[in-house]
PDB file of all heavy atoms in Angstrom:
ATOM      1  N   ILE I 199      26.948  -0.179 -15.105  1.00  0.00           N
ATOM      2  CA  ILE I 199      27.289  -0.019 -16.516  1.00  0.00           C
ATOM      3  C   ILE I 199      27.338  -1.391 -17.180  1.00  0.00           C
ATOM      4  O   ILE I 199      28.281  -2.143 -16.935  1.00  0.00           O
ATOM      5  CB  ILE I 199      28.629   0.746 -16.700  1.00  0.00           C
ATOM      6  CG1 ILE I 199      28.606   2.076 -15.874  1.00  0.00           C
ATOM      7  CG2 ILE I 199      28.887   0.983 -18.175  1.00  0.00           C
ATOM      8  CD1 ILE I 199      29.908   2.889 -15.992  1.00  0.00           C
ATOM      9  N   PRO I 200      26.324  -1.729 -17.962  1.00  0.00           N
ATOM     10  CA  PRO I 200      26.381  -2.999 -18.700  1.00  0.00           C
ATOM     11  C   PRO I 200      27.497  -2.931 -19.748  1.00  0.00           C
ATOM     12  O   PRO I 200      27.644  -1.894 -20.405  1.00  0.00           O
ATOM     13  CB  PRO I 200      25.026  -3.071 -19.398  1.00  0.00           C
ATOM     14  CG  PRO I 200      24.163  -2.074 -18.755  1.00  0.00           C
ATOM     15  CD  PRO I 200      25.071  -1.012 -18.203  1.00  0.00           C
ATOM     16  N   THR I 201      28.271  -4.016 -19.842  1.00  0.00           N
ATOM     17  CA  THR I 201      29.343  -4.084 -20.836  1.00  0.00           C
ATOM     18  C   THR I 201      29.685  -5.561 -21.048  1.00  0.00           C
ATOM     19  O   THR I 201      29.651  -6.369 -20.107  1.00  0.00           O
ATOM     20  CB  THR I 201      30.593  -3.297 -20.390  1.00  0.00           C
ATOM     21  OG1 THR I 201      31.729  -3.676 -21.204  1.00  0.00           O
ATOM     22  CG2 THR I 201      30.912  -3.490 -18.950  1.00  0.00           C
ATOM     23  N   PRO I 202      30.026  -5.964 -22.284  1.00  0.00           N
ATOM     24  CA  PRO I 202      30.417  -7.364 -22.501  1.00  0.00           C
ATOM     25  C   PRO I 202      31.638  -7.767 -21.646  1.00  0.00           C
ATOM     26  O   PRO I 202      31.846  -8.971 -21.421  1.00  0.00           O
ATOM     27  CB  PRO I 202      30.739  -7.455 -23.997  1.00  0.00           C
ATOM     28  CG  PRO I 202      30.370  -6.141 -24.629  1.00  0.00           C
ATOM     29  CD  PRO I 202      30.078  -5.156 -23.516  1.00  0.00           C
ATOM     30  N   SER I 203      32.428  -6.800 -21.210  1.00  0.00           N
ATOM     31  CA  SER I 203      33.581  -7.143 -20.396  1.00  0.00           C
ATOM     32  C   SER I 203      33.369  -6.962 -18.901  1.00  0.00           C
ATOM     33  O   SER I 203      34.309  -6.963 -18.152  1.00  0.00           O
ATOM     34  CB  SER I 203      34.781  -6.293 -20.862  1.00  0.00           C
ATOM     35  OG  SER I 203      34.404  -4.943 -20.968  1.00  0.00           O
ATOM     36  N   CYS I 225      23.240   2.921 -20.132  1.00  0.00           N
ATOM     37  CA  CYS I 225      23.224   2.002 -21.284  1.00  0.00           C
ATOM     38  C   CYS I 225      24.026   2.593 -22.418  1.00  0.00           C
ATOM     39  O   CYS I 225      23.615   3.578 -23.043  1.00  0.00           O
ATOM     40  CB  CYS I 225      21.795   1.786 -21.777  1.00  0.00           C
ATOM     41  SG  CYS I 225      20.719   1.074 -20.498  1.00  0.00           S
ATOM     42  N   GLY I 226      25.127   1.930 -22.763  1.00  0.00           N
ATOM     43  CA  GLY I 226      25.947   2.344 -23.878  1.00  0.00           C
ATOM     44  C   GLY I 226      25.415   1.754 -25.165  1.00  0.00           C
ATOM     45  O   GLY I 226      24.536   0.841 -25.159  1.00  0.00           O
ATOM     46  N   ARG I 227      25.908   2.233 -26.275  1.00  0.00           N
ATOM     47  CA  ARG I 227      25.723   1.696 -27.617  1.00  0.00           C
ATOM     48  C   ARG I 227      27.055   1.741 -28.336  1.00  0.00           C
ATOM     49  O   ARG I 227      28.047   2.105 -27.742  1.00  0.00           O
ATOM     50  CB  ARG I 227      24.681   2.539 -28.388  1.00  0.00           C
ATOM     51  CG  ARG I 227      23.253   2.199 -27.996  1.00  0.00           C
ATOM     52  CD  ARG I 227      22.663   1.102 -28.905  1.00  0.00           C
ATOM     53  NE  ARG I 227      21.695   0.306 -28.273  1.00  0.00           N
ATOM     54  CZ  ARG I 227      21.030  -0.672 -28.903  1.00  0.00           C
ATOM     55  NH1 ARG I 227      21.190  -0.922 -30.179  1.00  0.00           N
ATOM     56  NH2 ARG I 227      20.150  -1.422 -28.224  1.00  0.00           N
ATOM     57  N   TYR I 228      27.080   1.466 -29.622  1.00  0.00           N
ATOM     58  CA  TYR I 228      28.337   1.458 -30.406  1.00  0.00           C
ATOM     59  C   TYR I 228      29.326   0.517 -29.776  1.00  0.00           C
ATOM     60  O   TYR I 228      28.961  -0.586 -29.411  1.00  0.00           O
ATOM     61  CB  TYR I 228      28.863   2.893 -30.581  1.00  0.00           C
ATOM     62  CG  TYR I 228      27.775   3.894 -30.895  1.00  0.00           C
ATOM     63  CD1 TYR I 228      27.397   4.904 -29.975  1.00  0.00           C
ATOM     64  CD2 TYR I 228      27.120   3.856 -32.131  1.00  0.00           C
ATOM     65  CE1 TYR I 228      26.401   5.799 -30.282  1.00  0.00           C
ATOM     66  CE2 TYR I 228      26.103   4.751 -32.434  1.00  0.00           C
ATOM     67  CZ  TYR I 228      25.735   5.725 -31.498  1.00  0.00           C
ATOM     68  OH  TYR I 228      24.752   6.598 -31.814  1.00  0.00           O
ATOM     69  N   GLU I 229      30.584   0.970 -29.551  1.00  0.00           N
ATOM     70  CA  GLU I 229      31.567   0.097 -28.936  1.00  0.00           C
ATOM     71  C   GLU I 229      31.636   0.283 -27.434  1.00  0.00           C
ATOM     72  O   GLU I 229      32.521  -0.273 -26.745  1.00  0.00           O
ATOM     73  CB  GLU I 229      32.977   0.361 -29.526  1.00  0.00           C
ATOM     74  CG  GLU I 229      33.076   0.101 -31.033  1.00  0.00           C
ATOM     75  CD  GLU I 229      32.824  -1.395 -31.379  1.00  0.00           C
ATOM     76  OE1 GLU I 229      33.521  -2.235 -30.830  1.00  0.00           O
ATOM     77  OE2 GLU I 229      31.908  -1.628 -32.179  1.00  0.00           O
ATOM     78  N   GLY I 230      30.686   1.077 -26.888  1.00  0.00           N
ATOM     79  CA  GLY I 230      30.637   1.283 -25.475  1.00  0.00           C
ATOM     80  C   GLY I 230      30.942   2.742 -25.083  1.00  0.00           C
ATOM     81  O   GLY I 230      31.054   3.593 -25.905  1.00  0.00           O
ATOM     82  N   ILE I 231      31.056   2.929 -23.735  1.00  0.00           N
ATOM     83  CA  ILE I 231      31.242   4.291 -23.153  1.00  0.00           C
ATOM     84  C   ILE I 231      32.711   4.475 -22.811  1.00  0.00           C
ATOM     85  O   ILE I 231      33.375   3.589 -22.303  1.00  0.00           O
ATOM     86  CB  ILE I 231      30.396   4.370 -21.862  1.00  0.00           C
ATOM     87  CG1 ILE I 231      28.892   4.114 -22.170  1.00  0.00           C
ATOM     88  CG2 ILE I 231      30.575   5.763 -21.218  1.00  0.00           C
ATOM     89  CD1 ILE I 231      28.004   4.019 -20.933  1.00  0.00           C
ATOM     90  N   PHE I 249      28.935  -4.626 -15.365  1.00  0.00           N
ATOM     91  CA  PHE I 249      28.430  -5.984 -15.345  1.00  0.00           C
ATOM     92  C   PHE I 249      28.027  -6.486 -16.736  1.00  0.00           C
ATOM     93  O   PHE I 249      27.764  -5.665 -17.640  1.00  0.00           O
ATOM     94  CB  PHE I 249      27.252  -6.141 -14.366  1.00  0.00           C
ATOM     95  CG  PHE I 249      25.960  -5.557 -14.887  1.00  0.00           C
ATOM     96  CD1 PHE I 249      25.018  -6.398 -15.496  1.00  0.00           C
ATOM     97  CD2 PHE I 249      25.686  -4.203 -14.815  1.00  0.00           C
ATOM     98  CE1 PHE I 249      23.802  -5.883 -16.004  1.00  0.00           C
ATOM     99  CE2 PHE I 249      24.503  -3.699 -15.290  1.00  0.00           C
ATOM    100  CZ  PHE I 249      23.551  -4.511 -15.907  1.00  0.00           C
ATOM    101  N   SER I 250      27.973  -7.818 -16.855  1.00  0.00           N
ATOM    102  CA  SER I 250      27.571  -8.465 -18.107  1.00  0.00           C
ATOM    103  C   SER I 250      26.440  -9.443 -17.780  1.00  0.00           C
ATOM    104  O   SER I 250      26.430 -10.067 -16.705  1.00  0.00           O
ATOM    105  CB  SER I 250      28.766  -9.187 -18.706  1.00  0.00           C
ATOM    106  OG  SER I 250      28.329 -10.163 -19.679  1.00  0.00           O
ATOM    107  N   ILE I 251      25.512  -9.610 -18.730  1.00  0.00           N
ATOM    108  CA  ILE I 251      24.459 -10.593 -18.491  1.00  0.00           C
ATOM    109  C   ILE I 251      24.738 -11.937 -19.158  1.00  0.00           C
ATOM    110  O   ILE I 251      23.927 -12.853 -19.099  1.00  0.00           O
ATOM    111  CB  ILE I 251      23.029 -10.079 -18.918  1.00  0.00           C
ATOM    112  CG1 ILE I 251      23.009  -9.729 -20.405  1.00  0.00           C
ATOM    113  CG2 ILE I 251      22.647  -8.920 -18.044  1.00  0.00           C
ATOM    114  CD1 ILE I 251      21.601  -9.630 -20.953  1.00  0.00           C
ATOM    115  N   GLY I 252      25.924 -12.066 -19.790  1.00  0.00           N
ATOM    116  CA  GLY I 252      26.270 -13.392 -20.337  1.00  0.00           C
ATOM    117  C   GLY I 252      27.276 -13.274 -21.453  1.00  0.00           C
ATOM    118  O   GLY I 252      27.541 -12.209 -21.961  1.00  0.00           O
ATOM    119  N   ASP I 253      27.793 -14.421 -21.805  1.00  0.00           N
ATOM    120  CA  ASP I 253      28.887 -14.490 -22.777  1.00  0.00           C
ATOM    121  C   ASP I 253      28.355 -14.559 -24.223  1.00  0.00           C
ATOM    122  O   ASP I 253      28.461 -15.626 -24.849  1.00  0.00           O
ATOM    123  CB  ASP I 253      29.870 -15.648 -22.488  1.00  0.00           C
ATOM    124  CG  ASP I 253      30.601 -15.419 -21.193  1.00  0.00           C
ATOM    125  OD1 ASP I 253      30.679 -14.224 -20.754  1.00  0.00           O
ATOM    126  OD2 ASP I 253      31.121 -16.385 -20.626  1.00  0.00           O
ATOM    127  N   TYR I 254      27.780 -13.497 -24.643  1.00  0.00           N
ATOM    128  CA  TYR I 254      27.291 -13.296 -26.032  1.00  0.00           C
ATOM    129  C   TYR I 254      27.305 -11.797 -26.227  1.00  0.00           C
ATOM    130  O   TYR I 254      27.375 -11.039 -25.247  1.00  0.00           O
ATOM    131  CB  TYR I 254      25.893 -13.849 -26.226  1.00  0.00           C
ATOM    132  CG  TYR I 254      25.033 -13.695 -25.005  1.00  0.00           C
ATOM    133  CD1 TYR I 254      24.446 -12.448 -24.733  1.00  0.00           C
ATOM    134  CD2 TYR I 254      24.806 -14.716 -24.107  1.00  0.00           C
ATOM    135  CE1 TYR I 254      23.683 -12.247 -23.591  1.00  0.00           C
ATOM    136  CE2 TYR I 254      24.063 -14.514 -22.957  1.00  0.00           C
ATOM    137  CZ  TYR I 254      23.468 -13.288 -22.686  1.00  0.00           C
ATOM    138  OH  TYR I 254      22.763 -13.091 -21.578  1.00  0.00           O
ATOM    139  N   VAL I 255      27.291 -11.339 -27.455  1.00  0.00           N
ATOM    140  CA  VAL I 255      27.450  -9.899 -27.734  1.00  0.00           C
ATOM    141  C   VAL I 255      26.097  -9.281 -28.193  1.00  0.00           C
ATOM    142  O   VAL I 255      25.501  -9.768 -29.135  1.00  0.00           O
ATOM    143  CB  VAL I 255      28.534  -9.619 -28.787  1.00  0.00           C
ATOM    144  CG1 VAL I 255      28.713  -8.134 -28.972  1.00  0.00           C
ATOM    145  CG2 VAL I 255      29.859 -10.271 -28.342  1.00  0.00           C
ATOM    146  N   LEU I 256      25.688  -8.279 -27.443  1.00  0.00           N
ATOM    147  CA  LEU I 256      24.458  -7.531 -27.752  1.00  0.00           C
ATOM    148  C   LEU I 256      24.884  -6.210 -28.469  1.00  0.00           C
ATOM    149  O   LEU I 256      26.067  -5.924 -28.571  1.00  0.00           O
ATOM    150  CB  LEU I 256      23.725  -7.178 -26.470  1.00  0.00           C
ATOM    151  CG  LEU I 256      23.336  -8.406 -25.591  1.00  0.00           C
ATOM    152  CD1 LEU I 256      22.804  -7.915 -24.228  1.00  0.00           C
ATOM    153  CD2 LEU I 256      22.332  -9.266 -26.304  1.00  0.00           C
ATOM    154  N   ASN I 257      23.876  -5.469 -28.945  1.00  0.00           N
ATOM    155  CA  ASN I 257      24.196  -4.210 -29.613  1.00  0.00           C
ATOM    156  C   ASN I 257      24.287  -3.019 -28.678  1.00  0.00           C
ATOM    157  O   ASN I 257      24.640  -1.921 -29.075  1.00  0.00           O
ATOM    158  CB  ASN I 257      23.143  -3.929 -30.698  1.00  0.00           C
ATOM    159  CG  ASN I 257      23.392  -4.720 -31.922  1.00  0.00           C
ATOM    160  OD1 ASN I 257      24.529  -5.051 -32.263  1.00  0.00           O
ATOM    161  ND2 ASN I 257      22.327  -5.097 -32.611  1.00  0.00           N
ATOM    162  N   GLY I 258      23.875  -3.211 -27.415  1.00  0.00           N
ATOM    163  CA  GLY I 258      23.910  -2.117 -26.442  1.00  0.00           C
ATOM    164  C   GLY I 258      23.509  -2.607 -25.075  1.00  0.00           C
ATOM    165  O   GLY I 258      23.174  -3.793 -24.892  1.00  0.00           O
ATOM    166  N   GLY I 259      23.481  -1.702 -24.109  1.00  0.00           N
ATOM    167  CA  GLY I 259      23.179  -2.088 -22.722  1.00  0.00           C
ATOM    168  C   GLY I 259      21.756  -2.154 -22.309  1.00  0.00           C
ATOM    169  O   GLY I 259      21.417  -2.525 -21.221  1.00  0.00           O
ATOM    170  N   GLU I 260      20.815  -1.806 -23.261  1.00  0.00           N
ATOM    171  CA  GLU I 260      19.399  -1.701 -22.870  1.00  0.00           C
ATOM    172  C   GLU I 260      18.817  -3.029 -22.394  1.00  0.00           C
ATOM    173  O   GLU I 260      18.047  -3.090 -21.414  1.00  0.00           O
ATOM    174  CB  GLU I 260      18.545  -1.161 -24.050  1.00  0.00           C
ATOM    175  CG  GLU I 260      18.748   0.345 -24.293  1.00  0.00           C
ATOM    176  CD  GLU I 260      20.045   0.692 -24.982  1.00  0.00           C
ATOM    177  OE1 GLU I 260      20.722  -0.247 -25.514  1.00  0.00           O
ATOM    178  OE2 GLU I 260      20.350   1.913 -25.064  1.00  0.00           O
ATOM    179  N   ALA I 262      20.382  -5.520 -21.108  1.00  0.00           N
ATOM    180  CA  ALA I 262      20.975  -5.789 -19.785  1.00  0.00           C
ATOM    181  C   ALA I 262      20.296  -4.945 -18.702  1.00  0.00           C
ATOM    182  O   ALA I 262      20.130  -5.429 -17.574  1.00  0.00           O
ATOM    183  CB  ALA I 262      22.477  -5.513 -19.820  1.00  0.00           C
TER     184      ALA I 262
HETATM  185  C1  LIG O 469      26.680  -2.800 -23.301  1.00  0.00           C
HETATM  186  C2  LIG O 469      27.629  -1.322 -26.468  1.00  0.00           C
HETATM  187  C3  LIG O 469      27.765  -3.262 -28.004  1.00  0.00           C
HETATM  188  C4  LIG O 469      29.375  -4.698 -29.177  1.00  0.00           C
HETATM  189  C5  LIG O 469      33.155  -5.117 -28.895  1.00  0.00           C
HETATM  190  C6  LIG O 469      34.693  -6.897 -29.043  1.00  0.00           C
HETATM  191  C7  LIG O 469      32.890  -7.062 -27.448  1.00  0.00           C
HETATM  192  C8  LIG O 469      30.197  -3.309 -27.413  1.00  0.00           C
HETATM  193  N1  LIG O 469      26.267  -9.616 -22.083  1.00  0.00           N
HETATM  194  C9  LIG O 469      26.411  -8.546 -22.938  1.00  0.00           C
HETATM  195  N2  LIG O 469      26.705  -8.667 -24.242  1.00  0.00           N
HETATM  196  N3  LIG O 469      26.792  -7.441 -24.746  1.00  0.00           N
HETATM  197  C10 LIG O 469      26.565  -6.500 -23.795  1.00  0.00           C
HETATM  198  C11 LIG O 469      26.652  -5.091 -24.071  1.00  0.00           C
HETATM  199  C12 LIG O 469      26.987  -4.668 -25.387  1.00  0.00           C
HETATM  200  C13 LIG O 469      27.158  -3.316 -25.581  1.00  0.00           C
HETATM  201  C14 LIG O 469      27.026  -2.382 -24.585  1.00  0.00           C
HETATM  202  C15 LIG O 469      26.493  -4.142 -23.052  1.00  0.00           C
HETATM  203  C16 LIG O 469      27.303  -1.120 -25.164  1.00  0.00           C
HETATM  204  N4  LIG O 469      27.546  -2.659 -26.724  1.00  0.00           N
HETATM  205  C17 LIG O 469      29.147  -3.747 -28.200  1.00  0.00           C
HETATM  206  C18 LIG O 469      30.681  -5.153 -29.413  1.00  0.00           C
HETATM  207  C19 LIG O 469      31.723  -4.666 -28.650  1.00  0.00           C
HETATM  208  N5  LIG O 469      33.311  -6.533 -28.800  1.00  0.00           N
HETATM  209  C20 LIG O 469      34.844  -8.414 -28.971  1.00  0.00           C
HETATM  210  O1  LIG O 469      34.431  -8.853 -27.666  1.00  0.00           O
HETATM  211  C21 LIG O 469      33.092  -8.544 -27.404  1.00  0.00           C
HETATM  212  C22 LIG O 469      31.482  -3.773 -27.637  1.00  0.00           C
HETATM  213  C23 LIG O 469      26.305  -7.227 -22.633  1.00  0.00           C
HETATM  214  C24 LIG O 469      25.992  -6.761 -21.311  1.00  0.00           C
HETATM  215  N6  LIG O 469      25.729  -6.399 -20.284  1.00  0.00           N
END
Side-chain angles (χ1 to χ4, degrees):
I199 307 179
T201 165
S203 48
C225 301
R227 280 269 151 177
Y228 316 111
E229 298 298 303
I231 303 172
F249 76 96
S250 163
I251 59 162
D253 292 341
Y254 35 77
V255 182
L256 304 171
N257 281 330
E260 286 77 12

